[in-house]
């Protein structure tokens, strides 16, 4: 299986949301990492044929996905950031309803719903109304609906948004399990969502892919070093003005800083191994995206 983006571009008037992207995907997990407004959702909506590109193509095994039409959509499972449901429906009713929309025969649908509610950990909640579910349980139901047609391509847009740490870990494990023998594209602005499960990571900024590769390759793409040092509490604000601080921890003897800098920030600073979070801060900035709307 091969999905290919060739010179893929999407413009809204004079604004370019996706800017001449060229990528090739096969089976595995692909992590699309960037701040809000980077163009992640626009890229995913084109992949799901919900938007047509202004220029360029998306092909599946050499065929244009827009010309494939329904044949392509049978291969696709999609979980958007916000997915609609009837609050009075039970989980079971909701999944059977979505299965009917997807054209799955009732006997097959009932079996598939039983299998998927077990896989996503919702068997005990199958008769519970959707409005009664926690945020994490709703996202699990969302994954189940995306998997009803046993898709070859699974597209997940910010799937862990609003989840607590335990649900996020559970979700990552589920995605890793579902990725066997299929292609999974997962967009997020949360580094830990993809750090350990993505076979390839794409850093997206201003509609373009800045870097791509394994986590190690992405980490080594950062030209600056990461330093660790202790400073007096009264000096922290000065360091924050001068450097990018990826982490700080208050200690009895002062404050431990994790600093991204080409130069050694102070005499007793020691160079340490960079992490993917350091890379994210380096490329996107500490406050990047806070005021941006999702595109």
């Amino acid at each position: 299986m091969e999905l290919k983006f060739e010179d893929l571009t999407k413009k809204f008037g004079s604004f370019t949301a996706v800017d001449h992207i060229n990528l090739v995907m096969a089976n595995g997990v692909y992590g699309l990492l960037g701040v809000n407004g980077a163009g992640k959702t626009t890229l995913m909506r084109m992949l799901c044929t919900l938007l047509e590109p202004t220029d360029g193509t998306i092909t599946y095994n050499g065929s244009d996905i827009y010309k494939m039409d329904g044949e392509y959509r049978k291969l696709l499972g999609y979980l958007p950031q916000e997915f609609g449901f009837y609050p009075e429906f039970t989980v079971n009713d909701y999944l059977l309803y979505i299965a009917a929309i997807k054209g799955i025969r009732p006997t097959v649908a009932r079996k598939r719903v039983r299998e998927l509610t077990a896989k996503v950990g919702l068997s005990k909640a199958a008769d519970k109304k959707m409005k009664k579910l926690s945020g994490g349980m709703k996202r699990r139901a969302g994954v189940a609906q995306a998997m009803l047609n046993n898709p070859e391509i699974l597209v997940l847009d910010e799937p862990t948004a609003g989840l607590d740490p335990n649900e996020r870990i559970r979700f990552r494990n589920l995605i890793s399990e579902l990725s066997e023998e299929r292609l999974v594209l997962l967009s997020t602005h949360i580094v830990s969502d993809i750090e350990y499960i993505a076979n390839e990571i794409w850093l997206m900024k201003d509609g373009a892919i800045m870097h791509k590769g394994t986590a190690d390759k992405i980490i080594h793409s950062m030209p600056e070093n990461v330093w660790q040092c202790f400073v007096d509490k009264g000096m922290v604000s000065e360091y924050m003005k001068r450097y990018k601080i990826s982490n700080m921890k208050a200690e009895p003897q002062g404050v431990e800083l994790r600093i991204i800098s080409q130069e050694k920030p102070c005499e007793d600073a020691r160079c340490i191994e960079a992490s993917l979070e350091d890379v994210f801060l380096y490329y996107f900035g500490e406050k990047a995206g806070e005021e941006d709307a999702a595109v």
Side-chain angles (χ1 to χ4, degrees):
M1 175 176 56
E2 181 186 83
L3 262 178
K4 183 184 278 189
F5 300 157
E6 292 186 278
D7 205 31
L8 191 66
T9 302
K10 181 62 180 178
K11 296 182 178 182
F12 297 96
S14 61
F15 175 69
T16 303
V18 172
D19 192 4
H20 297 90
I21 285 180
N22 293 278
L23 292 167
V24 179
M25 293 177 283
N27 284 357
V29 180
Y30 294 81
L32 182 58
L33 184 62
V35 297
N36 293 334
K40 304 188 302 296
T41 295
T42 301
L43 180 65
M44 293 186 128
R45 293 187 74 191
M46 285 192 287
L47 179 58
C48 294
T49 69
L50 298 174
L51 285 175
E52 289 197 20
T54 307
D55 291 300
T57 61
I58 305 174
T59 57
Y60 171 81
N61 289 343
S63 299
D64 188 303
I65 65 170
Y66 294 91
K67 292 179 181 177
M68 291 177 68
D69 198 26
E71 182 186 350
Y72 171 73
R73 282 190 285 275
K74 287 180 182 178
L75 308 172
L76 187 69
Y78 178 44
L79 175 63
Q81 287 188 48
E82 299 292 337
F83 64 96
F85 56 84
Y86 292 108
E88 295 297 327
F89 273 18
T90 64
V91 172
N92 197 59
D93 290 339
Y94 166 69
L95 293 176
L96 288 172
Y97 171 69
I98 298 297
I101 291 175
K102 291 188 176 187
I104 301 171
R105 290 184 292 111
T107 52
V108 176
R110 284 192 290 271
K111 181 182 177 182
R112 189 76 180 135
V113 167
R114 283 196 301 272
E115 292 172 350
L116 285 170
T117 50
K119 185 177 283 288
V120 302
L122 287 177
S123 292
K124 293 182 179 179
D127 295 321
K128 185 179 286 190
K129 290 184 177 181
M130 291 291 292
K131 68 180 182 181
K132 299 286 188 181
L133 300 183
S134 66
M137 293 172 81
K138 285 176 184 172
R139 300 307 284 178
R140 281 186 254 160
V143 172
Q145 66 80 24
M147 289 293 297
L148 280 167
N149 57 327
N150 195 24
E152 291 185 21
I153 303 162
L154 184 59
V155 181
L156 308 170
D157 194 359
E158 298 281 358
T160 64
L163 301 190
D164 64 38
N166 286 333
E167 279 287 1
R168 193 172 290 131
I169 292 168
R170 181 189 180 98
F171 210 94
R172 287 202 300 267
N173 293 339
L174 174 62
I175 292 166
S176 185
E177 183 182 349
L178 294 176
S179 68
E180 295 180 13
E181 298 182 356
R182 60 173 51 87
L183 185 159
V184 179
L185 177 59
L186 183 160
S187 83
T188 186
H189 61 277
I190 303 170
V191 173
S192 60
D193 281 355
I194 59 172
E195 188 168 11
Y196 302 110
I197 65 169
N199 302 103
E200 184 168 295
I201 296 171
W202 305 336
L203 296 186
M204 189 171 190
K205 185 176 183 179
D206 298 330
I209 302 298
M210 301 170 56
H211 291 283
K212 64 184 179 71
T214 63
D216 284 342
K217 184 178 178 180
I218 295 290
I219 288 169
H220 288 114
S221 74
M222 187 173 70
E224 298 195 3
N225 297 318
V226 180
W227 307 86
Q228 190 177 68
C229 61
F230 284 95
V231 301
D232 292 333
K233 291 181 180 179
M235 292 294 295
V236 171
S237 60
E238 183 61 31
Y239 275 84
M240 291 183 72
K241 291 177 184 176
R242 294 170 55 194
Y243 302 106
K244 286 185 176 179
I245 310 294
S246 65
N247 193 45
M248 63 175 67
K249 180 181 178 183
E251 300 282 359
Q253 66 269 43
V255 179
E256 181 185 84
L257 298 181
R258 189 179 179 97
I259 297 172
I260 300 172
S261 172
Q262 189 68 53
E263 62 185 37
K264 192 173 183 178
C266 60
E267 187 61 33
D268 64 345
R270 62 187 183 91
C271 192
I272 59 176
E273 187 175 347
S275 69
L276 199 57
E277 285 192 349
D278 295 320
V279 175
F280 187 87
L281 174 65
Y282 176 78
Y283 285 117
F284 300 116
E286 187 175 12
K287 297 182 179 179
E290 288 184 359
E291 297 177 2
D292 295 333
V295 175

